[in-house]
Amino acid sequence: KRKKEAKATMSQLVFPHLYKSTTPKAVIRVDDKWYDVTAWRASHPGGAQCLDIFHNKDATDAFYSLHSKEAVDQLFRMKGKPVDEKELQREKVSEDFRKWDQQLQRDGWYKRTWACDLFFDILPVLFLITVGTMICHSWPILATLMIGYAMQQAGWLGHDFVHGRGQLCWLLGNTLPALICGFSTQWWSNKHNAHHNWPNRFRVDYDIHNEPILHLFFPEPKDDVWYRKYQHKYYLIAYAFLYVSWRIQSIQFALGSKNWLERTQIAINYIWLAYLPWKVAVGSVLLGGLLVALVVTVNHQVVDLIPTDAPYNFIVDQYKSTCGVHCSDYFMEHAFGGLQYQIEHHLFPMMPRYYYPAIRPLCKKFAEEHGLPWRVAGVWEIEVMNYEAIKHFAGDPPKEKAQ
């Protein structure tokens, strides 16, 4: 029964259009007021489930982290109910972070420099896609490498622009991933917002749940699979199919949500893939998926999962659940697409990624001042740590864990 309930919860989180609210209302706290956001369930860009999970809880830090000034103003125009005086005080780490974030906004850290986005990020991807397509019949191997890497970079672009704010960010975030990678931005955004709110939280953050293919915990004997003990040997093959999985889920979501704009964009992507030689098309998708998986998995898989019912603090959880990466050369810095600054991104997801190198020392200082963990590893070091974590959970559970 528990396994079926978990599977149902995961299906609803992966496919938000399937989610059905189980609470009569969704009332969240932001600052010193309670707001009834029940009416926003159907249109909330982050999905209805996020609102329901925060029902009767303080969502202040998560709300400011993921919402634009326009969304903040929209909430404040609602009539909120004042919080009881005994509940007014918030944790010092949250209060200090809020003041720091407000200062960063005043100092212009959230302002985009579109010349950087265009010349260093967008144009190189379009160049690789264009040239790769032109030479796909005469130089298939080179074309596969170019298109596969472009697909990985297009994923980073979509990630950055979907988190960004403004009409141009919205346009690029809802266009590039669908046209180049065949992804549904709406599906991904709903799923990914849960990861930002509850990183590494067991049975809540499904970005880190990939079982039964890969386990990051020791399953109960009745839920175990025979091939788990080999997962450290085949995990790279599983990684290569990441984009295949996301494509399938995007199609399922687009068909269920009836978003004709996404349907059209995804269809264009498959028309383009059909033009390519099948080996180039398949190879590019597998290569792009592998390159993405090698980046997106390491930041959180090398850190212990947070129990479902553990005490929650948005800021503390970001530090507890994340390990950053130090890239020592330009190629790795580019290939990681800003996700090497995972702590920085989780704290400031709306901030353009090219500011993350400068803010890393400030994030470290904040951690030291508040007694929070600070983890940063080298590229190869963290890849080895990730392998060791996968290998650990391929083995037998400790005796005290065995059931």
Side-chain angles (χ1 to χ4, degrees), residues 103-161:
Q103 185 61 51
L104 291 173
Q105 293 183 46
R106 290 192 292 268
D107 292 344
W109 285 77
Y110 285 81
K111 185 178 180 181
R112 302 197 77 91
T113 303
W114 281 105
C116 291
D117 291 294
L118 179 62
F119 290 105
F120 293 103
D121 296 324
I122 299 175
L123 289 181
V125 170
L126 297 180
F127 172 81
L128 290 172
I129 287 291
T130 302
V131 176
T133 302
M134 292 174 62
I135 66 172
C136 66
H137 294 281
S138 55
W139 299 86
I141 296 178
L142 180 59
T144 300
L145 294 175
M146 295 179 71
I147 296 173
Y149 187 69
M151 285 182 174
Q152 185 224 34
Q153 291 297 309
W156 303 152
L157 288 179
H159 176 259
D160 197 30
F161 291 136

Side-chain angles (χ1 to χ4, degrees), residues 65-272:
S65 174
L66 294 166
H67 290 81
S68 64
K69 183 179 181 301
E70 291 74 18
V72 173
D73 293 341
Q74 188 176 5
L75 180 74
F76 288 168
R77 285 196 293 269
M78 297 175 61
K79 185 178 180 180
K81 179 182 178 182
V83 174
D84 292 341
E85 289 188 14
K86 62 181 180 180
E87 299 177 325
L88 276 175
Q89 188 173 2
R90 302 178 70 238
E91 294 182 58
K92 187 177 186 300
V93 64
S94 296
E95 293 292 344
D96 290 350
F97 182 82
R98 177 73 184 129
K99 294 176 183 177
W100 179 31
D101 186 41
Q102 290 175 331
Q103 185 61 51
L104 291 173
Q105 293 183 46
R106 290 192 292 268
D107 292 344
W109 285 77
Y110 285 81
K111 185 178 180 181
R112 302 197 77 91
T113 303
W114 281 105
C116 291
D117 291 294
L118 179 62
F119 290 105
F120 293 103
D121 296 324
I122 299 175
L123 289 181
V125 170
L126 297 180
F127 172 81
L128 290 172
I129 287 291
T130 302
V131 176
T133 302
M134 292 174 62
I135 66 172
C136 66
H137 294 281
S138 55
W139 299 86
I141 296 178
L142 180 59
T144 300
L145 294 175
M146 295 179 71
I147 296 173
Y149 187 69
M151 285 182 174
Q152 185 224 34
Q153 291 297 309
W156 303 152
L157 288 179
H159 176 259
D160 197 30
F161 291 136
V162 170
H163 277 297
R165 293 298 178 262
Q167 292 184 347
L168 189 51
C169 276
W170 181 91
L171 177 63
L172 293 171
N174 285 272
T175 301
L176 292 176
L179 291 175
I180 296 177
C181 298
F183 297 155
S184 163
T185 301
Q186 188 180 356
W187 158 77
W188 175 86
S189 182
N190 280 263
K191 180 172 177 286
H192 190 64
N193 280 332
H195 168 67
H196 269 264
N197 286 325
W198 303 280
N200 265 34
R201 190 159 291 252
F202 187 68
R203 294 302 187 198
V204 180
D205 173 14
Y206 280 97
D207 267 9
I208 48 90
H209 277 285
N210 296 296
E211 61 275 0
I213 305 301
L214 296 173
H215 285 79
L216 296 177
F217 61 94
F218 293 111
E220 296 183 14
K222 62 184 180 63
D223 297 330
D224 207 352
V225 291
W226 63 269
Y227 49 84
R228 175 178 60 85
K229 61 183 178 180
Y230 303 109
Q231 66 178 21
H232 60 296
K233 297 182 178 180
Y234 66 72
Y235 80 102
L236 290 178
I237 298 175
Y239 278 8
F241 283 85
L242 177 68
Y243 267 14
V244 175
S245 174
W246 286 3
R247 281 173 171 272
I248 293 172
Q249 293 177 69
S250 292
I251 291 174
Q252 290 175 313
F253 178 79
L255 293 176
S257 64
K258 299 180 181 180
N259 184 326
W260 282 101
L261 176 60
E262 282 197 335
R263 285 183 176 185
T264 302
Q265 292 173 335
I266 292 174
I268 292 173
N269 172 265
Y270 282 96
I271 292 172
W272 166 60

